Amino acid sequence: MSSTEPRRTALDALHRSLGATMTDFAGWDMPLRYGSERDEHNAVRTRAGLFDLSHMGEITVTGPQATQLLDHALVGNIGTVKPGRARYTMICREDGGILDDLIVYRLEDTGAGSPHAGTPHAGSPHYMVVANASNAQVVLDALVERSAGFDAEVRDDRDAYALLAVQGPESPGILRSLTDADLDNLKYYAGLPGTVAGVPALIARTGYTGEDGFELFVKPEHAVGLWQALTGAGEGAGLVPCGLSCRDTLRLEAGMPLYGNELSTSLTPFDAGFGRVVKFEKEGDFVGRAALAEAAARAERTPPRALVGLVAEGRRVPRAGYAVVAGGEVIGEVTSGAPSPTLGRPIAMAYVDVAHAAPGTEGVGVDVRGSHEPYEVVALPFYKRQK
C-alpha cells in the first residue's frame, strides 16, 4: 500500500455494499453519505443513526504514574476523573496553542474494556485518550515525549479498536435489546465494559450530535457483526446508516467545535471560549501553564472575539473563512457553516468582536462572494434536545 493511499476501517466493504459515497478524511476512506444527508440528519434527530467512527485515534496510557503524566500533559484535572467516567479536555503546546481536543476515559484500574485488559500494569490507573483522526499522530507523539520521567506507558491502540456509534432518541431502546449492561445508570461522559450482541465492548455515552447515544469500542474483527446486529435491532425503530456529512451538520446545530475550524494551534482555549477546560488549581506543573495564565489574564482585560451562532435571513450558505461584517467593517470570521435541516435555514458558527457578540445584535452580515447577506446573532447551541 502506498503512503498516499487512505486507510480503511474494518467496515469498509460493508459501507460500499450499502452504496456509500466515500471520501478521504484525515487519511481514512470514510462514508460521506449513503443517500440523502438531510434524511440521515433527520433520522438522528427523530429516530436513530448508526455511524462508523473507527478513524478516531485511541491511545492507551497506563502505569503507576499514568494520572500524573496526563495531568502534566493535558490542561484538565485528570486526577479527579473516577473509574468509569470520561472528561472532555485539551492538549496544548508550550505557547498555549491547542493541539487537539480530547476525550479521556478512565477505565477500571485492571484495564477492563481494553483489548489488552490486565497488561502490563494490572492494578495501575488505566486511561484511554481519544484524539481526532487528523491529530492522532500529533497527540501520540506529544504524549510519548511528555512521558519522559514518568513511570507510565503510552501505547498507540488505533489498530486495536473499531468504533461504532448509535445516536438519536431511539438509541437507548435499540442498544438495550442487545445488551444486559446497565444503560439506565450509564451517565453522560461515562463508559462501562459490557457485551453487546455477544461482543465484548466498552460502552460509552459522550456523543457529538446533540442527541442521546452510545459509542461502542470493539475489536476490529467484531465490527461487521456488531453493525449488522445493530441494524437488525434498529429496523423497527427507523435506524439508518449515517455518514460524516450529517455528523457535521448535527454537531454544528449542537454548537460543538470541530478541530481545524473552531479550534487550532493559533488559538488558546481562552481565545476559543473554552477557558473552562483549563484547570490551574491542579497539583504540579503542566505543559503550557505559563502561556495559558497569560492568555487567561489577557482575556480578562481585553476579551477576545467570541464564538457565536449566526442564522441566515436568506438562503445563501456561509462557509468557513467568510468574513463577518457590520457597518462596513470586518468584525469576525465564519468557522463552520451549512444548511440546517432542523432550523430550515443556513447557520454558521463564527468568531466575532465582543461588541457584536450579544444575541440579537443588529446590522451583522456575512460576505458571501461579495454580497453582504444579513444574519441574526444567536446564542449557541442552535439546537438543544428535550430531555
Side-chain angles (χ1 to χ4, degrees), residues 333-355:
E333 185 176 297
V334 171
T335 55
S336 296
S340 166
T342 305
L343 275 64
R345 289 195 285 171
I347 60 173
M349 286 200 286
Y351 284 113
V352 303
D353 295 342
V354 291

Side-chain angles (χ1 to χ4, degrees), residues 10-367:
L11 292 160
D12 182 79
L14 190 149
H15 297 317
R16 295 172 191 278
S17 74
L18 293 173
T21 299
M22 307 297 286
T23 187
D24 185 343
F25 181 79
W28 290 82
D29 214 10
M30 297 296 295
L32 186 65
R33 68 181 72 84
Y34 298 84
S36 160
E37 56 199 55
R38 176 180 290 271
D39 290 347
E40 292 172 23
H41 178 111
N42 289 333
V44 175
R45 286 278 178 257
T46 60
R47 303 185 303 279
L50 181 59
F51 296 83
D52 178 9
L53 304 181
S54 301
H55 60 310
M56 301 295 283
E58 296 87 5
I59 302 165
T60 298
V61 181
T62 56
Q65 291 188 306
T67 305
Q68 292 91 324
L69 163 58
L70 290 174
D71 270 338
H72 166 71
L74 312 179
V75 302
N77 191 346
I78 306 305
T80 61
V81 181
K82 292 181 168 52
R85 298 309 303 267
R87 175 83 34 95
Y88 176 79
T89 187
M90 295 180 180
I91 181 168
C92 291
R93 302 191 306 193
E94 197 69 66
D95 66 2
I98 303 167
L99 281 173
D100 201 12
D101 61 335
L102 312 166
I103 296 178
V104 178
Y105 294 90
R106 181 166 180 180
L107 309 179
E108 295 299 326
D109 289 349
T110 54
S114 166
H116 309 283
T119 60
H121 297 290
S124 294
H126 186 106
Y127 298 92
M128 181 169 65
V129 177
V130 181
N132 286 296
S134 57
N135 295 328
Q137 189 64 49
V138 170
V139 173
L140 176 67
D141 292 344
L143 288 175
V144 168
E145 181 182 340
R146 296 174 191 189
S147 69
F150 291 92
D151 186 4
E153 178 193 358
V154 177
R155 184 175 63 232
D156 181 1
D157 270 348
R158 284 176 287 179
D159 292 334
Y161 291 102
L163 175 58
L164 281 64
V166 55
Q167 296 278 304
E170 298 291 339
S171 59
I174 293 168
L175 190 57
R176 198 173 282 115
S177 71
L178 296 174
T179 184
D180 58 4
D182 186 6
L183 300 183
D184 290 336
N185 288 314
L186 180 62
K187 295 181 170 63
Y188 188 51
Y189 266 75
L192 83 165
T195 301
V196 181
V199 172
L202 172 67
I203 306 169
R205 198 173 203 164
T206 58
Y208 192 56
T209 62
E211 299 297 337
D212 193 11
F214 303 88
E215 298 77 48
L216 307 170
F217 295 86
V218 299
K219 290 183 178 180
E221 58 263 35
H222 294 150
V224 170
L226 181 56
W227 179 284
Q228 292 171 336
L230 288 163
T231 299
E235 193 171 5
L239 177 80
V240 301
C242 293
L244 293 179
S245 185
C246 85
R247 182 170 149 89
D248 190 51
T249 54
L250 288 160
R251 72 91 195 167
L252 176 56
E253 287 184 351
M256 295 179 175
L258 175 66
Y259 194 90
N261 290 48
E262 286 73 40
L263 308 174
S264 70
T265 53
S266 65
L267 297 172
T268 73
F270 295 95
D271 299 325
F274 289 88
R276 62 185 179 276
V277 306
V278 181
K279 303 301 182 185
F280 293 113
E281 71 274 13
K282 64 179 175 177
E283 291 185 15
D285 194 15
F286 62 92
V287 176
R289 175 190 274 273
L292 290 168
E294 289 180 13
R298 193 166 57 246
E300 190 74 26
R301 290 192 310 270
T302 310
R305 284 180 167 177
L307 187 63
V308 302
L310 299 174
V311 178
E313 295 181 15
R315 309 302 302 175
R316 299 189 72 180
V317 179
R319 298 298 182 189
Y322 284 12
V324 182
V325 295
E329 300 290 329
V330 174
I331 61 160
E333 185 176 297
V334 171
T335 55
S336 296
S340 166
T342 305
L343 275 64
R345 289 195 285 171
I347 60 173
M349 286 200 286
Y351 284 113
V352 303
D353 295 342
V354 291
H356 301 272
T361 298
E362 296 183 352
V364 173
V366 174
D367 186 341

